[in-house]
Amino acid sequence: MALSILGALAAWDLAHTPAVYTLLVVLVPLNVLLSTLRVERGARYRASYIWFVLLILEGIAIFLLSKTQNLDLSHWALKSPPNPLVGRVAFAAAFAALVWRAWPEYKPLPVGLSAALIAFFIAESWPASPGNYAAFMTAAGVILVAALLQESHQLAFRDPLTGLPGRRALEERLRALGGHYAIAMVDVDHFKKFNDTHGHDIGDQVLRLVGGRLSQAAKGGVAYRYGGEEFSVLFPGASVDDAARELEDIRNSIETYKMAVRSPDRPKKTDEGAKRRGEGGTEQMLSVTVSIGVAGPKEGATPQHVIKAADEALYRAKQGGRNRVSR
Ligand code: GH3
Ligand code: MG
Ligand code: MG
């Protein structure tokens, strides 16, 4: 998609004809529209060579058109410049698809693409004024690059399972921390057994749930997935007392939360399954508990020391019987 917009810039520079212009303003939004819909269907990686073929075909079409003179573009839907009706319709459809795709997560790539598409649309509305065209095309390019950088940053720093920032993000944050803060280490209790009993998929669901609770409930705290079934919560500017109070509420809300899941021994045969469902026996309410250790900086302690202290507190929470907050 980025290639398509950059290609459009090059093509317009090479061949300044109305036919090329018309083709570009239709093809670029159509490419965006197509790829937006395809990503939704999850065919992203396997189908990428199809994109190359498509873009090359489009390039050839543009090249051939640029050699063709006297093409009749007087039809009302194609009349250009300015932007012909088909181009506007394609733009509107592509933009709507992008917004639909971006909502409600506002990931950098779809948001950046929407913005770049708008910049492209503005650019293409001024084909006769090279200054404006170049300015908005450059803007489209810069937005795209920024969005790609942001997306790859998220890939490195965000945990895909829970959506929380990961350990690298925590380490980054610790470097810019003041002297007053608290760190909590959170570990799911008997999670190995939980996985063995209910399966890894339901285990993953539990991790998402715990991550969600941690990030919502922590007032002034930021939750990170430290690794595996361990989380950290960082409370910048908070005392250990304040953090411990906050964490006790979180611990309690996780303990009392009941998760409805289908039981793993669900019968394969549908008629038998229907009979069982009729009896209401296939759903199970599950819950987990967490142990939490919290610590704050002592004189001269680095964040790494504090994490270690929180880890030791977590160990005491486990020793003390789990499902509790220790310091
Ligand atoms: P304890 O109460 O002492 O913490 O017991 P535990 O079983 O939770 O402790 P342990 O650290 O031995 O087990 C952690 C388990 O967490 C091992 C692994 O099966 C599970 N686990 C780690 N990461 C993931 C994950 O991403 N998804 C799932 N489903 N399970 C995970
Ligand atoms: Mg563990
Ligand atoms: Mg554990």
Side-chain angles (χ1 to χ4, degrees):
M1 207 168 342
L3 279 178
S4 146
I5 290 188
L6 295 179
L9 182 60
W12 184 244
D13 276 345
L14 288 176
H16 258 66
T17 73
V20 169
Y21 172 82
T22 307
L23 199 57
L24 283 180
V25 298
V26 177
L27 280 184
V28 171
L30 275 188
N31 284 345
V32 173
L33 182 62
L34 271 180
S35 63
T36 305
L37 298 179
R38 277 212 73 95
V39 170
E40 179 62 21
R41 282 165 42 194
R44 201 173 188 159
Y45 298 106
R46 238 178 311 137
S48 63
Y49 70 95
I50 297 179
W51 281 108
F52 270 106
V53 174
L54 187 67
L55 286 178
I56 289 169
L57 286 182
E58 286 175 4
I60 294 172
I62 289 169
F63 178 75
L64 290 180
L65 258 186
S66 71
K67 299 289 169 217
T68 318
Q69 306 294 325
N70 307 327
L71 200 69
D72 183 23
L73 284 173
S74 58
H75 188 277
W76 57 270
L78 292 174
K79 212 163 158 137
S80 76
N83 198 347
L85 186 63
V86 280
R88 290 178 200 219
V89 170
F91 166 79
F95 186 70
L98 272 176
V99 170
W100 167 68
R101 175 96 203 121
W103 190 83
E105 291 170 8
Y106 301 111
K107 290 233 179 83
L109 205 52
V111 171
L113 279 169
S114 315
L117 194 65
I118 290 176
F120 176 75
F121 185 73
I122 296 172
E124 72 189 23
S125 306
W126 272 304
S129 133
N132 280 332
Y133 182 81
F136 279 97
M137 272 313 239
T138 310
V142 169
I143 292 168
L144 275 180
V145 170
L148 283 171
L149 282 178
Q150 180 92 30
E151 185 87 5
S152 57
H153 181 274
Q154 286 211 352
L155 274 184
F157 285 83
R158 227 163 244 287
D159 164 49
L161 178 70
T162 59
L164 294 179
R167 187 167 174 167
R168 286 174 74 171
L170 175 65
E171 276 159 9
E172 190 96 318
R173 180 70 183 83
L174 290 179
R175 266 186 258 145
L177 209 55
H180 190 53
Y181 61 91
I183 297 179
M185 299 300 284
V186 182
D187 187 290
V188 183
D189 294 330
H190 298 304
F191 196 51
K192 195 165 173 353
K193 187 149 168 279
F194 188 94
N195 265 325
D196 293 346
T197 316
H198 305 289
H200 201 265
D201 286 349
I202 292 178
D204 281 356
Q205 247 173 284
V206 166
L207 291 180
R208 265 190 229 111
L209 183 133
V210 170
R213 293 268 137 169
L214 287 177
S215 61
Q216 281 168 20
K219 191 172 17 138
V222 188
Y224 297 81
R225 185 171 181 205
Y226 195 74
E229 32 89 76
E230 287 180 25
F231 298 85
S232 320
V233 189
L234 177 63
F235 295 86
S239 69
V240 173
D241 283 342
D242 290 343
R245 247 193 310 278
E246 204 58 60
L247 292 160
E248 179 55 32
D249 289 346
I250 297 174
R251 186 207 56 73
N252 187 47
S253 91
I254 292 174
E255 182 188 7
T256 48
Y257 190 87
K258 298 270 179 290
M259 193 175 80
V261 292
R262 289 295 191 78
S263 57
D265 58 12
R266 182 154 43 117
K268 290 274 179 295
K269 278 203 220 120
T270 43
D271 51 342
E272 199 185 330
K275 212 166 78 201
R276 283 261 228 121
R277 266 195 297 284
E279 293 159 7
T282 50
E283 236 176 35
Q284 228 183 326
M285 302 308 270
L286 299 178
S287 58
V288 292
T289 58
V290 295
S291 298
I292 303 177
V294 59
K298 302 223 163 55
E299 200 66 46
T302 67
Q304 270 65 37
H305 292 136
V306 180
I307 286 188
K308 189 152 181 291
D311 242 338
E312 286 160 8
L314 170 61
Y315 180 75
R316 288 193 290 278
K318 294 277 185 190
Q319 291 297 300
R322 295 183 170 78
N323 190 23
R324 65 193 59 206
V325 180
S326 289
R327 54 169 86 185

